[in-house]
Amino acid sequence: MLERFPENYARHLVELLSAYQDSGLAPPNLESEVAPGDDGKLWGHVWEAMLYRHLLNLGFKPQTAGVTKAGQRGPDFGIMHQGIRIWIEAVTPAPNGIPSDYLEPPKRGVVRVRRVPQEERLLRWTSVLSDKRKKLEYYRTQNIINATDCTVIAVNSCRLQDYAMNDLGISGLPFAVEAVFPIGPIAFPITTEGEPAGDPINITRYTIQKPNKSEVRTGNFLDPNYSNVSAIMGCWQKDMLRNGIDLTAVHNPLATVSLPRAILGANKEYVADQEGDHYMLRSL
């Protein structure tokens, strides 16, 4: 680590990863996978280690589901809250489809203007959510997750940019919200003469296009197929040097088993309440 990062940062990562490895919850190949050469696996394990530390700080005692008969590992963490078991599956999306110049660190003294790849990043969110939803369903079929258990997909988007100041998308809301509800960019209503005609609002966006022009749905928490997912969490940080981590939690209104609110230490938490024939999204 000292060869790859500044000393203070390297020691912080080593501390996080060592505590995670000593917990007995980390995969057995953690040490070899954080060696130089595969940054994707490094940041994936760092995110797991961050979640482990975060859950401990909240007073939980994380456990593991063990290994399936086929040798596949179950969800990353299991915690208990007032008799309810909550499974957390962590993922760090790879930067597939993200322009390479957006991933490059800035050079000292060089000023560049770059397009922010909003839709490309959102596509990575929707892709990993789809994959993890299927994995959670598989765990149910293997009786690793019970019908009465909550499930949470925890996404860290740190690999989708060189450096992020926040987790906000083009809607002005976190990517975790944009990936599960059809909330699009902010639009300003104007008259035919080009004059302002009201306050700016978010327009609906039910799909985004992949490079091959196929449509990908963004309203995943309005899809009954996602009812096996209680909530998602989002984060964008690569460390816990800022006195913890900045988390966004988004609850699924169609979840078969609802996640209790305000228990996972999220800085931002969103719920969608049904009002007649529509849902009203609000922040707790």
Side-chain angles (χ1 to χ4, degrees):
M1 291 294 180
L2 289 172
E3 296 177 356
R4 301 161 73 182
F5 304 107
E7 182 177 356
N8 288 344
Y9 187 64
R11 295 191 185 282
H12 171 67
L13 295 185
V14 170
E15 179 190 359
L16 280 174
L17 291 167
S18 296
Y20 181 40
Q21 186 174 42
D22 292 343
S23 72
L25 302 181
N29 53 352
L30 181 146
E31 187 171 350
S32 63
E33 290 188 341
V34 300
D38 193 338
D39 282 353
K41 290 182 178 179
L42 167 65
W43 296 122
H45 290 313
V46 167
W47 175 223
E48 294 165 4
M50 289 167 61
L51 279 172
Y52 172 71
R53 173 73 61 83
H54 177 71
L55 293 171
L56 283 182
N57 290 343
L58 292 175
F60 291 112
K61 297 178 180 179
Q63 298 176 335
T64 180
V67 180
T68 68
K69 293 180 180 179
Q72 186 174 11
R73 195 165 177 255
D76 295 296
F77 303 107
I79 59 175
M80 294 294 294
H81 173 77
Q82 298 181 355
I84 301 173
R85 186 174 298 279
I86 302 166
W87 295 108
I88 301 174
E89 179 76 1
V91 60
T92 307
N96 301 341
I98 307 297
S100 58
D101 66 334
Y102 188 72
L103 300 172
E104 295 174 357
K107 297 180 180 179
R108 185 181 297 274
V110 177
V111 178
R112 292 191 302 168
V113 178
R114 296 183 289 187
R115 180 183 70 87
V116 178
Q118 300 282 10
E119 292 194 348
E120 290 92 333
R121 289 194 289 172
L122 184 56
L123 282 169
R124 297 305 302 136
W125 276 80
T126 57
S127 176
V128 296
L129 288 178
S130 176
D131 292 342
K132 291 300 183 181
R133 182 200 70 78
K134 294 173 185 175
K135 180 170 283 191
L136 291 173
E137 187 60 33
Y138 170 75
Y139 291 151
R140 286 195 190 276
T141 65
Q142 298 298 303
N143 297 318
I144 296 174
I145 296 176
N146 295 325
T148 56
D149 295 344
C150 287
T151 59
V152 178
I153 301 174
V155 183
N156 189 314
S157 61
C158 66
R159 297 180 64 198
L160 303 185
Q161 60 277 316
D162 169 59
Y163 180 77
M165 297 295 293
N166 54 51
D167 63 346
L168 303 181
I170 198 170
S171 67
L173 293 167
F175 276 102
V177 174
E178 290 189 4
V180 293
F181 290 117
I183 302 174
I186 298 173
F188 291 80
I190 59 174
T191 67
T192 54
E193 289 76 30
E195 297 295 327
D199 296 328
I201 59 172
N202 287 99
I203 60 175
T204 56
R205 177 181 56 182
Y206 287 94
T207 62
I208 51 176
Q209 275 194 349
K210 296 174 67 173
N212 63 7
K213 305 301 181 183
S214 62
E215 300 288 337
V216 176
R217 295 185 60 178
T218 57
N220 291 308
F221 275 3
L222 303 181
D223 181 355
N225 287 325
Y226 273 77
S227 62
N228 67 316
V229 180
S230 303
I232 68 168
M233 290 198 301
C235 182
W236 47 272
Q237 295 169 237
K238 290 183 175 180
D239 57 67
M240 299 184 74
L241 290 170
R242 301 175 187 142
N243 298 319
I245 49 180
D246 185 359
L247 283 176
T248 296
V250 186
H251 294 257
N252 184 357
L254 301 183
T256 302
V257 183
S258 298
L259 177 74
R261 298 177 181 180
I263 67 165
L264 293 179
N267 304 80
K268 299 183 288 290
E269 191 157 354
Y270 296 86
V271 297
D273 298 317
Q274 188 168 4
E275 297 186 1
D277 61 352
H278 64 279
Y279 288 97
M280 181 65 70
L281 183 69
R282 63 186 179 89
S283 175
L284 296 181

